[in-house]
Amino acid sequence: METTEYSLPDLIKKAEHYAAMAEHCKEDVRIKLRQWGCDSSDEQRIIDALVKDNFINDSRYAAAFAHDKLMYQGWGRMKIKAGLFAKHIDEDDIEESLSNIDEQAYFSVLRKVAGKKKTDNHEQLIRFLLQRGFTYSEISSIIPS
């Protein structure tokens, strides 16, 4: 991949544009800056400026990530937590985003995901839902033994 040299003001402008287009976390922006050929010395300064100007906010990102992964991909809390952890989101922000998930919506998604799995095998369904990030206690509350 060919990289183009950008000046610091150009990198800041590109990063602001990138962050304004969709919700991104610090790690997403860090990866993008590296792709653009940003020096590691400028990387943190740019990210700090974006945080200061509220272009990126990991707490806001965690809430959006949790909502979207639950509603659109049918992920459970455990898988959402792992996804946020992989993005280097602070544990307090992760816990806050998970605690803000609506319980009714959560179990509605769990039932919907369980209903879409075409199997009569009870153990296979449980394994599938565990892989989707739902806990055994959540699964057992909607699936009769």
Side-chain angles (χ1 to χ4, degrees):
M1 186 170 87
E2 196 174 307
T3 58
T4 308
E5 287 295 319
Y6 294 103
S7 66
L8 185 59
D10 289 341
L11 283 170
I12 292 171
K13 187 171 278 197
K14 280 179 74 68
E16 286 175 348
H17 179 71
Y18 174 71
M21 297 307 290
E23 199 65 60
H24 294 288
C25 63
K26 292 175 194 171
E27 187 64 17
D28 290 343
V29 174
R30 183 172 279 113
I31 290 167
K32 196 52 91 168
L33 287 170
R34 288 176 186 158
Q35 288 174 353
W36 293 332
C38 180
D39 292 337
S40 56
S41 59
D42 293 334
E43 198 175 276
Q44 193 57 47
R45 275 192 296 179
I46 294 170
I47 289 172
D48 290 343
L50 293 175
V51 168
K52 181 178 158 272
D53 294 337
N54 209 25
F55 279 99
I56 53 178
N57 179 319
D58 281 353
S59 179
R60 189 177 64 213
Y61 175 82
F65 184 93
H67 174 268
D68 291 353
K69 292 301 180 183
L70 172 68
M71 301 309 289
Y72 301 119
Q73 273 81 38
W75 287 12
R77 283 189 179 98
M78 301 307 292
K79 192 166 183 174
I80 292 169
K81 185 175 184 173
L84 288 168
F85 185 76
K87 297 275 190 171
H88 305 283
I89 303 298
D90 184 61
E91 197 163 330
D92 291 337
D93 291 335
I94 293 173
E95 292 305 320
E96 183 181 340
S97 69
L98 294 176
S99 68
N100 288 336
I101 292 175
D102 179 55
E103 288 298 309
Q104 266 188 317
Y106 186 78
F107 281 96
S108 173
V109 168
L110 173 55
R111 285 185 200 89
K112 185 173 134 185
V113 170
K116 285 185 177 181
K117 181 67 175 170
K118 306 286 190 234
T119 184
D120 292 331
N121 186 323
H122 187 73
E123 289 80 21
Q124 192 177 31
L125 178 60
I126 290 171
R127 265 193 317 275
F128 169 74
L129 293 171
L130 286 169
Q131 289 174 343
R132 293 299 285 268
F134 297 99
T135 65
Y136 185 78
S137 62
E138 294 166 346
I139 296 166
S140 60
S141 74
I142 65 138
I143 296 176
S145 296

